[in-house]
Amino acid sequence: MSQTLAFRPRQDSLPTEEGSWYGNTKSFELRILDGENEVREALRLRGRAYKAIGYDIDPVDGEYTDRFDSLPTTVLLGAYDQDRLVGCVRLCFAQPHQPLSTLPCAPYYPALKEIHRQQSHGLVEISRLSIEPSLSNISYRTTLYAFLVRASLTAALAAGVSMLLVATRPDWVRFYHYMLGFRQIGEPALYPPGDFKITLLGGSLEQARMRQRLQNRFFKITPEEIASMKGAIMSALHRTHPHTPSKVAV
């Protein structure tokens, strides 16, 4: 069963214009997706989102998945608006004693090998960030995107990693550079699904936190949130993943 976390970004009410799903909610609800039904719902949302972007994928039963979704080093986070899943993101961890094979980006960005050797507290890759495509309100979508990024940073703090990696489309590079101070790693590559070249960005956790404080109070993360996330993350990383994909996407 999914775990709901103590996680409340400081934000005012969301916009109520036409196209917003629920409009006047003051925060999304964050959950670690641990139950089979919740995981499948997230994979179906990912499938819809990726098809809407223009990826040429063939989801099985609407689910877009790969082998990394079922690794014990992977955690899925979901954002809910009045109990309806509206966004999700995948976190893949690689501790110093673990091989890079737990990170989906590793085969596509050779420069990552040297970075991994230099890290004393491990890495986390943030990827597959997906937002329900039927949400057309731009302000709502932007707030939701930032919410999921903030949740990923909280998870990184809770897990004690020293560096964050983000595999993202070129149109989001400026966001991560400005808000978190991330820098490009290697050259853009055909990260799966492989229809477009994807940029890999990276930055230290401390650097990201410093930039957050300077840029936006939305990213201020409280000790309560970190403690709540830590308990959930540790539990999730020591479980046997309940979801076994019926077909592995490549």
Side-chain angles (χ1 to χ4, degrees):
M1 190 70 180
S2 298
Q3 304 174 62
T4 300
L5 304 175
F7 191 82
R8 291 294 181 267
R10 267 59 53 192
Q11 62 186 63
D12 296 324
S13 60
L14 293 170
T16 56
E17 308 95 281
E18 184 179 357
S20 173
W21 200 316
Y22 288 108
N24 198 33
T25 183
K26 291 192 175 181
S27 70
F28 301 104
E29 184 179 85
L30 179 66
R31 302 178 192 173
I32 285 186
L33 305 180
D34 213 11
E36 183 174 355
N37 290 338
E38 291 86 356
V39 171
R40 289 188 180 278
E41 183 184 15
L43 297 178
R44 286 193 292 269
L45 187 155
R46 183 194 293 171
R48 293 194 300 274
Y50 272 51
K51 292 278 284 187
I53 290 171
Y55 282 111
D56 184 17
I57 60 174
D58 184 23
V60 178
D61 296 326
E63 300 173 21
Y64 180 56
T65 185
D66 57 39
R67 69 180 184 87
F68 296 97
D69 289 316
S70 57
L71 291 182
T73 47
T74 293
V75 173
L76 296 176
L77 298 177
Y80 287 78
D81 184 344
Q82 298 194 15
D83 211 34
R84 187 165 190 174
L85 182 69
V86 289
C88 57
V89 65
R90 180 172 75 183
L91 308 178
C92 298
F93 292 88
Q95 298 302 329
H97 61 279
Q98 292 175 329
L100 278 174
S101 59
T102 60
L103 300 182
C105 65
Y108 307 96
Y109 304 92
L112 191 58
K113 292 181 180 178
E114 181 58 31
I115 291 174
H116 183 235
R117 283 193 289 267
Q118 297 171 3
Q119 299 306 309
S120 58
H121 292 90
L123 308 169
V124 60
E125 177 185 342
I126 304 167
S127 60
R128 298 294 194 240
L129 197 158
S130 305
I131 292 175
E132 170 57 51
S134 64
L135 295 169
S136 59
N137 185 286
I138 294 176
S139 180
Y140 184 102
R141 291 178 65 88
T142 301
T143 301
L144 177 55
Y145 194 104
F147 177 91
L148 289 168
V149 172
R150 183 178 179 278
S152 301
L153 294 174
T154 306
L157 283 166
V161 301
S162 54
M163 187 170 187
L164 298 94
L165 304 168
V166 178
T168 187
R169 288 165 57 91
D171 47 339
W172 280 98
V173 168
R174 180 178 291 184
F175 170 86
Y176 288 104
H177 174 67
Y178 178 73
M179 295 300 296
L180 302 175
F182 283 8
R183 300 293 180 181
Q184 183 172 324
I185 297 174
E187 295 299 318
L190 293 175
Y191 183 108
D195 299 88
F196 316 109
K197 285 196 172 182
I198 297 297
T199 301
L200 183 67
L201 303 172
S204 71
L205 191 55
E206 184 55 37
Q207 175 188 355
R209 293 191 75 189
M210 184 179 298
R211 182 64 68 95
Q212 295 159 34
R213 289 192 292 268
L214 292 174
Q215 298 294 355
N216 195 332
R217 289 189 62 205
F218 180 91
F219 282 106
K220 183 181 179 183
I221 298 169
T222 69
E224 178 193 12
E225 291 171 322
I226 296 172
S228 178
M229 179 70 79
K230 186 173 183 178
I233 283 283
M234 292 302 104
S235 174
L237 291 177
H238 287 87
R239 77 201 185 291
T240 299
H241 204 291
H243 176 68
T244 302
S246 54
K247 175 181 176 182
V248 175
V250 295

